[in-house]
């Protein structure tokens, strides 16, 4: 208790509610000064009765950067002022993680991790969904994995880091549907000491739901930790040689204006995932050639037209300067099959002065004069004709 009080006295950001009727001390956190940095992209889908570990999303996103020992890390469930660990021994925190053991369906919800030090505070949330342990839950809780037809491939039993750490006795059990796999046949081999399953010569029939399980001991009790994998089997992807279809070799522009040169690459049936596309200036990367950012690469776009894949990265000048006319710009594309470049140069557009434009006012003058002359001529004729009619009627 005295340690708790030292902690409370030392940090002004907290307000303390004196002992409530349950006899526990509750700490309510100063709210407004803490920056909410959003929800983690990943939702944890788990089954009831098993141990669940949530990682504080801030530690996850700044991979490698560990939180300093002075920082205080706390968890709470959304819409609840109650800090975790709250009542009962089912939940505890450890090294930036929140443990729930065993998880119940009512534990589903949004959990908020707060990291606070003397000068700084931020929060991120992560969602947990706990499902009933039945077959009907499989589509929600399964991890998707893909292997290639007629090749050998590995299935991974994912997200077990906290349960496999420092273990030499690790044994992963694998099931196809609910049937245990005989892991010593030619087809399926459990890779010893890991959580991987090797599948030989993958066939279309191998697709479907797999379950993997390890046991985890805590305070003398054994728990099963299971993960479900939905395996998809894909045909081997044919890679094609990419073709740079634009830009043109020279681009005309006027100095001082903004210019965008797209580099568009045809991939055919190849996936964009294995293709890199970038620009260089005098054979150096754009970022290093223009640290000031006057010339930059725009965002990469991936799209399909008529079932053919394309990728595109624009080069953006803001603005074009005279020195760009002497710089050698290249669009570079690289995949497993080829490396190609296309060079482009920026040219100053020729002057907009042209005789056509200069003569336009002059031709207008001629047109008007011509018009007046025609009008006069016509009028003269009609008058002559009228005179003739008058003569005729007068007879
Ligand atoms: C907490 O719950 C409220 C209402 O249910 C919701 O509006 C809010 O976005 C939630 N906060 C987070 C961080 O998910
Ligand atoms: C508090 O944390 C922030 C962000 O992690 C860090 O930049 C800052 O130096 C820390 N301050 C102290 C006093 O540790
Ligand atoms: C794992 O082992 C390392 C070194 O043997 C040790 O420093 C660490 O505390 C152990 N972690 C756990 C969770 O037991
Ligand atoms: C773990 O799974 C095995 C195999 O399905 C089962 O025999 C055992 O009872 C399970 N243990 C617990 C604690 O659920
Ligand atoms: C590229 O090289 C040319 C000629 O050597 C030079 O005039 C130009 O300024 C260089 N451009 C950059 C961005 O370094």
């Amino acid at each position: 208790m005295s340690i708790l009080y030292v902690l409370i006295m030392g940090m002004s950001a907290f307000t303390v509610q004196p002992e409530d009727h349950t006899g526990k001390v509750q700490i309510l956190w100063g709210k407004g000064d803490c920056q909410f940095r959003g929800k983690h992209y990943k939702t944890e889908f788990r089954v009831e009765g098993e141990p669940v570990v949530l990682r504080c999303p801030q530690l996850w996103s700044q991979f490698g950067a560990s939180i300093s020992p002075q920082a205080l890390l706390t968890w709470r469930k959304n819409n609840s002022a109650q800090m975790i660990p709250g009542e009962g021994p089912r939940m505890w925190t450890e090294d930036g993680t929140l443990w729930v053991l065993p998880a119940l369906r009512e534990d589903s919800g949004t959990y908020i991790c707060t990291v606070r030090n003397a000068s700084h505070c931020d929060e991120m949330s992560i969602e947990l969904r706990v499902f009933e342990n039945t077959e009907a839950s499989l589509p929600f809780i399964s991890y998707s994995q893909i292997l290639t037809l007629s090749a050998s491939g590995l299935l991974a039993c994912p997200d077990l880091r906290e349960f496999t750490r420092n273990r030499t006795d690790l044994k992963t059990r694998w099931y196809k549907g609910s049937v245990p796999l005989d892991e010593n046949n030619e087809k399926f081999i459990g890779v010893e000491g890991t959580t991987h399953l090797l599948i030989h010569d993958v066939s279309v029939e191998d697709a479907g739901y797999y379950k993997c399980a390890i046991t985890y001991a805590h305070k003398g009790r054994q728990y099963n930790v299971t993960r479900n994998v939905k395996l998809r089997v894909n045909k081997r992807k044919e890679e094609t040689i990419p073709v740079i279809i634009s830009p043109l070799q020279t681009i005309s522009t006027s100095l001082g204006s903004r210019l965008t040169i797209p580099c568009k690459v045809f991939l055919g049936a190849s996936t964009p995932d294995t293709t890199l596309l970038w620009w260089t200036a005098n054979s150096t990367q754009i970022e290093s050639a223009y640290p000031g950012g006057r010339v930059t690469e725009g965002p990469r776009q991936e799209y399909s037209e008529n079932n053919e894949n394309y990728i595109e990265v624009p080069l953006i000048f803001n603005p074009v300067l005279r020195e760009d006319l002497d710089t050698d710009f290249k669009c570079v594309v690289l995949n497993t099959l080829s490396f190609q470049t296309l060079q482009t140069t920026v040219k100053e557009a020729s002057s907009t002065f042209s005789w056509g434009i200069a003569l336009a006012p002059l031709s207008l003058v001629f047109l008007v004069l011509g018009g007046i002359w025609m009008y006069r001529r016509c009028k003269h004729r009609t008058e002559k004709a009228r005179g003739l009619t008058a003569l005729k009627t007068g007879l």
Side-chain angles (χ1 to χ4, degrees), residues 10 34 48 51 56 89 97 117 153 191 209 220 225 254 285 287 295 366 383:
C34 205
E48 60 184 347
C56 185
T97 57
N117 65 15
V191 184
Y209 288 107
V225 186
S254 45
Q285 290 213 337
E287 262 176 44
V295 180
F366 277 121
E383 268 163 14

Side-chain angles (χ1 to χ4, degrees), residues 200-344:
H200 266 305
D201 192 18
V202 174
S203 67
V204 174
E205 293 79 56
D206 293 334
Y209 288 107
Y210 288 75
K211 183 169 49 189
C212 52
I214 60 168
T215 51
Y216 182 74
H218 179 73
K219 292 196 171 154
R221 272 201 65 182
Q222 297 276 333
Y223 295 88
N224 285 329
V225 186
T226 64
R227 299 285 182 258
N228 294 276
V229 172
K230 186 183 178 184
L231 173 63
R232 262 175 42 206
V233 173
N234 277 357
K235 280 207 204 112
R236 180 176 299 283
K237 290 242 174 66
E238 294 302 329
E239 288 241 352
T240 50
I241 293 172
V243 184
I244 303 178
I245 54 176
S246 83
L248 302 172
Q249 310 231 283
T250 53
I251 305 283
S252 294
T253 185
S254 45
L255 299 183
S257 65
R258 205 182 131 93
L259 172 69
T260 299
I261 310 178
C263 180
K264 182 171 174 177
V265 174
F266 170 81
L267 295 179
S270 293
T271 77
D273 313 351
T274 54
T275 309
L276 296 176
L277 178 59
W278 71 92
W279 281 91
T280 62
N282 287 350
S283 302
T284 45
Q285 290 213 337
I286 298 300
E287 262 176 44
S288 340
Y290 302 95
R294 181 178 63 82
V295 180
T296 52
E297 274 179 353
R300 172 178 161 126
Q301 293 171 59
E302 299 175 353
Y303 52 92
S304 299
E305 285 169 4
N306 305 322
N307 287 327
E308 313 274 25
N309 294 326
Y310 293 85
I311 51 174
E312 198 173 309
V313 171
L315 184 67
I316 301 163
F317 297 75
N318 194 9
V320 178
L321 297 185
R322 185 161 294 281
E323 65 186 78
D324 298 335
L325 309 182
D326 303 319
T327 302
D328 172 24
F329 294 102
K330 276 199 195 104
C331 172
V332 186
V333 63
L334 172 69
N335 78 353
T336 52
L337 291 182
S338 83
F339 172 86
Q340 288 176 57
T341 61
L342 193 139
Q343 185 183 1
T344 190

Side-chain angles (χ1 to χ4, degrees), residues 128-190:
L128 170 66
R129 304 268 302 275
V130 181
F131 287 82
E132 209 179 340
N133 196 354
T134 65
E135 210 163 296
S137 306
L138 282 179
F140 307 104
I141 60 178
S142 293
Y143 290 78
S144 191
Q145 292 183 22
I146 301 174
L147 292 182
T148 305
L149 191 64
S150 307
S152 296
L154 285 176
L155 283 192
C157 193
D159 276 346
L160 290 174
R161 200 198 300 175
E162 283 76 16
F163 305 104
T164 58
R165 204 187 287 148
N166 286 3
R167 284 182 63 178
T168 49
D169 61 331
L170 195 65
K171 173 90 183 78
T172 313
R173 306 188 302 278
W174 283 91
Y175 304 80
K176 170 98 196 274
S178 53
V179 182
L181 289 178
D182 171 13
E183 285 163 29
N184 295 314
N185 64 15
E186 294 281 284
K187 181 79 184 170
F188 300 104
I189 298 173

